[in-house]
Amino acid sequence: MIYLQVIQTVGAGIKTRIDAINQSSQAATATQRLVQITQVLTDAHPRDIFTVIHSSFADLKPENMKQLGMLFQMDYITPIETFF
């Protein structure tokens, strides 16, 4: 499904950028890194990403919902959790 491919591509870029921010803990304060992470998310998703992801569930088959959930966890949630 094209939607999942787009989310996979965009999500991989998000993960790469957030991982780089998390690894730069010596170069920036925690507040600066949090602002940078927020900027990465809003640059890619001007609307709330959680709403975008969850609203798409209504149009997906169960197996695609599972894949989307896994992508969201891997590319968005886990890198943000790493910050904390």
Side-chain angles (χ1 to χ4, degrees):
M1 164 170 237
I2 190 85
Y3 180 76
L4 289 175
Q5 291 172 340
V6 169
I7 291 295
Q8 185 172 15
T9 300
V10 172
I14 297 282
K15 182 181 184 324
T16 298
R17 291 176 65 193
I18 293 175
D19 285 346
I21 292 166
N22 284 333
Q23 293 171 4
S24 70
S25 61
Q26 303 297 341
T29 67
T31 301
Q32 290 168 330
R33 285 184 287 127
L34 187 56
V35 168
Q36 291 170 349
I37 290 170
T38 302
Q39 191 63 54
V40 167
L41 294 171
T42 56
D43 285 350
H45 304 287
R47 288 189 55 204
D48 172 19
I49 182 57
F50 297 100
T51 302
V52 172
I53 295 290
H54 289 285
S55 65
S56 67
F57 282 144
D59 300 321
L60 296 175
K61 295 177 183 176
E63 62 269 15
N64 293 334
M65 284 188 237
K66 182 177 179 180
Q67 185 178 0
L68 179 59
M70 289 172 34
L71 288 170
F72 186 61
Q73 176 67 40
M74 180 176 62
D75 293 338
Y76 292 83
I77 302 300
T78 299
I80 292 170
E81 285 178 337
T82 299
F83 170 81
F84 294 99

